[in-house]
mmCIF file of all heavy atoms in Angstrom:
data_model
loop_
_atom_site.group_PDB
_atom_site.id
_atom_site.type_symbol
_atom_site.label_atom_id
_atom_site.label_comp_id
_atom_site.label_asym_id
_atom_site.label_seq_id
_atom_site.Cartn_x
_atom_site.Cartn_y
_atom_site.Cartn_z
ATOM 1 N N GLY A 237 -20.379 21.479 -1.882
ATOM 2 C CA GLY A 237 -20.440 20.031 -1.662
ATOM 3 C C GLY A 237 -19.076 19.422 -1.396
ATOM 4 O O GLY A 237 -18.032 20.053 -1.590
ATOM 5 N N LEU A 238 -19.083 18.179 -0.914
ATOM 6 C CA LEU A 238 -17.848 17.456 -0.620
ATOM 7 C C LEU A 238 -17.574 16.427 -1.701
ATOM 8 O O LEU A 238 -18.487 15.752 -2.193
ATOM 9 C CB LEU A 238 -17.948 16.747 0.735
ATOM 10 C CG LEU A 238 -17.779 17.580 1.996
ATOM 11 C CD1 LEU A 238 -17.865 16.685 3.218
ATOM 12 C CD2 LEU A 238 -16.455 18.339 1.984
ATOM 13 N N TYR A 239 -16.274 16.288 -2.023
ATOM 14 C CA TYR A 239 -15.841 15.315 -3.025
ATOM 15 C C TYR A 239 -14.735 14.457 -2.424
ATOM 16 O O TYR A 239 -13.822 14.972 -1.770
ATOM 17 C CB TYR A 239 -15.354 16.026 -4.284
ATOM 18 C CG TYR A 239 -16.464 16.713 -5.036
ATOM 19 C CD1 TYR A 239 -16.914 17.974 -4.649
ATOM 20 C CD2 TYR A 239 -17.084 16.096 -6.116
ATOM 21 C CE1 TYR A 239 -17.951 18.610 -5.317
ATOM 22 C CE2 TYR A 239 -18.129 16.716 -6.795
ATOM 23 C CZ TYR A 239 -18.553 17.969 -6.389
ATOM 24 O OH TYR A 239 -19.589 18.584 -7.051
ATOM 25 N N LEU A 240 -14.833 13.156 -2.661
ATOM 26 C CA LEU A 240 -13.894 12.188 -2.092
ATOM 27 C C LEU A 240 -13.191 11.447 -3.227
ATOM 28 O O LEU A 240 -13.813 11.074 -4.220
ATOM 29 C CB LEU A 240 -14.654 11.194 -1.209
ATOM 30 C CG LEU A 240 -13.864 10.043 -0.573
ATOM 31 C CD1 LEU A 240 -12.825 10.576 0.405
ATOM 32 C CD2 LEU A 240 -14.828 9.079 0.142
ATOM 33 N N LEU A 241 -11.900 11.244 -3.067
ATOM 34 C CA LEU A 241 -11.130 10.477 -4.037
ATOM 35 C C LEU A 241 -11.747 9.081 -4.176
ATOM 36 O O LEU A 241 -12.202 8.491 -3.198
ATOM 37 C CB LEU A 241 -9.692 10.363 -3.534
ATOM 38 C CG LEU A 241 -8.573 10.139 -4.552
ATOM 39 C CD1 LEU A 241 -8.491 11.303 -5.522
ATOM 40 C CD2 LEU A 241 -7.250 9.963 -3.813
ATOM 41 N N THR A 242 -11.787 8.530 -5.380
ATOM 42 C CA THR A 242 -12.385 7.211 -5.587
ATOM 43 C C THR A 242 -11.646 6.160 -4.754
ATOM 44 O O THR A 242 -10.457 6.300 -4.471
ATOM 45 C CB THR A 242 -12.349 6.805 -7.062
ATOM 46 O OG1 THR A 242 -10.980 6.717 -7.490
ATOM 47 C CG2 THR A 242 -13.102 7.802 -7.927
ATOM 48 N N ARG A 243 -12.338 5.102 -4.384
ATOM 49 C CA ARG A 243 -11.770 4.103 -3.476
ATOM 50 C C ARG A 243 -10.469 3.492 -3.995
ATOM 51 O O ARG A 243 -9.488 3.394 -3.237
ATOM 52 C CB ARG A 243 -12.811 2.997 -3.223
ATOM 53 C CG ARG A 243 -12.283 1.862 -2.321
ATOM 54 C CD ARG A 243 -12.313 2.245 -0.858
ATOM 55 N NE ARG A 243 -11.432 1.424 -0.045
ATOM 56 C CZ ARG A 243 -11.679 0.160 0.312
ATOM 57 N NH1 ARG A 243 -12.794 -0.423 -0.067
ATOM 58 N NH2 ARG A 243 -10.827 -0.498 1.066
ATOM 59 N N PRO A 244 -10.391 3.021 -5.246
ATOM 60 C CA PRO A 244 -9.113 2.459 -5.693
ATOM 61 C C PRO A 244 -7.957 3.451 -5.619
ATOM 62 O O PRO A 244 -6.834 3.073 -5.280
ATOM 63 C CB PRO A 244 -9.401 2.040 -7.148
ATOM 64 C CG PRO A 244 -10.866 1.802 -7.180
ATOM 65 C CD PRO A 244 -11.443 2.837 -6.260
ATOM 66 N N LEU A 245 -8.209 4.708 -5.909
ATOM 67 C CA LEU A 245 -7.145 5.703 -5.800
ATOM 68 C C LEU A 245 -6.749 5.932 -4.344
ATOM 69 O O LEU A 245 -5.571 6.160 -4.035
ATOM 70 C CB LEU A 245 -7.570 7.015 -6.446
ATOM 71 C CG LEU A 245 -7.617 7.021 -7.985
ATOM 72 C CD1 LEU A 245 -8.161 8.345 -8.508
ATOM 73 C CD2 LEU A 245 -6.245 6.747 -8.576
ATOM 74 N N ARG A 246 -7.710 5.859 -3.431
ATOM 75 C CA ARG A 246 -7.373 5.984 -2.005
ATOM 76 C C ARG A 246 -6.507 4.814 -1.556
ATOM 77 O O ARG A 246 -5.556 4.985 -0.788
ATOM 78 C CB ARG A 246 -8.644 6.061 -1.145
ATOM 79 C CG ARG A 246 -9.509 7.260 -1.432
ATOM 80 C CD ARG A 246 -10.489 7.570 -0.303
ATOM 81 N NE ARG A 246 -11.305 6.471 0.135
ATOM 82 C CZ ARG A 246 -12.486 6.134 -0.393
ATOM 83 N NH1 ARG A 246 -12.967 6.822 -1.423
ATOM 84 N NH2 ARG A 246 -13.196 5.143 0.091
ATOM 85 N N VAL A 247 -6.834 3.625 -2.033
ATOM 86 C CA VAL A 247 -6.105 2.424 -1.606
ATOM 87 C C VAL A 247 -4.718 2.357 -2.227
ATOM 88 O O VAL A 247 -3.730 2.051 -1.551
ATOM 89 C CB VAL A 247 -6.917 1.155 -1.953
ATOM 90 C CG1 VAL A 247 -6.069 -0.105 -1.771
ATOM 91 C CG2 VAL A 247 -8.155 1.073 -1.081
ATOM 92 N N PHE A 248 -4.612 2.645 -3.528
ATOM 93 C CA PHE A 248 -3.357 2.423 -4.234
ATOM 94 C C PHE A 248 -2.529 3.679 -4.465
ATOM 95 O O PHE A 248 -1.398 3.599 -4.919
ATOM 96 C CB PHE A 248 -3.635 1.724 -5.578
ATOM 97 C CG PHE A 248 -4.225 0.351 -5.405
ATOM 98 C CD1 PHE A 248 -5.509 0.070 -5.845
ATOM 99 C CD2 PHE A 248 -3.507 -0.651 -4.787
ATOM 100 C CE1 PHE A 248 -6.062 -1.186 -5.679
ATOM 101 C CE2 PHE A 248 -4.052 -1.914 -4.609
ATOM 102 C CZ PHE A 248 -5.332 -2.189 -5.052
ATOM 103 N N ILE A 249 -3.074 4.861 -4.158
ATOM 104 C CA ILE A 249 -2.294 6.099 -4.270
ATOM 105 C C ILE A 249 -2.163 6.771 -2.906
ATOM 106 O O ILE A 249 -1.062 7.015 -2.425
ATOM 107 C CB ILE A 249 -2.922 7.071 -5.290
ATOM 108 C CG1 ILE A 249 -2.975 6.437 -6.679
ATOM 109 C CG2 ILE A 249 -2.109 8.373 -5.323
ATOM 110 C CD1 ILE A 249 -1.628 6.122 -7.279
ATOM 111 N N THR A 250 -3.296 7.061 -2.238
ATOM 112 C CA THR A 250 -3.234 7.752 -0.946
ATOM 113 C C THR A 250 -2.532 6.902 0.105
ATOM 114 O O THR A 250 -1.629 7.390 0.809
ATOM 115 C CB THR A 250 -4.651 8.122 -0.462
ATOM 116 O OG1 THR A 250 -5.328 8.855 -1.470
ATOM 117 C CG2 THR A 250 -4.578 8.955 0.806
ATOM 118 N N GLY A 251 -2.937 5.626 0.248
ATOM 119 C CA GLY A 251 -2.360 4.762 1.280
ATOM 120 C C GLY A 251 -0.848 4.636 1.164
ATOM 121 O O GLY A 251 -0.104 5.045 2.075
ATOM 122 N N PRO A 252 -0.331 4.065 0.052
ATOM 123 C CA PRO A 252 1.121 3.979 -0.080
ATOM 124 C C PRO A 252 1.785 5.344 -0.179
ATOM 125 O O PRO A 252 2.934 5.522 0.232
ATOM 126 C CB PRO A 252 1.327 3.170 -1.369
ATOM 127 C CG PRO A 252 0.030 3.221 -2.086
ATOM 128 C CD PRO A 252 -1.026 3.384 -1.051
#
Side-chain angles (χ1 to χ4, degrees):
L238 282 182
Y239 291 82
L240 177 64
L241 205 62
T242 62
R243 178 79 200 285
L245 287 175
R246 298 199 308 272
V247 169
F248 296 115
I249 299 297
T250 306

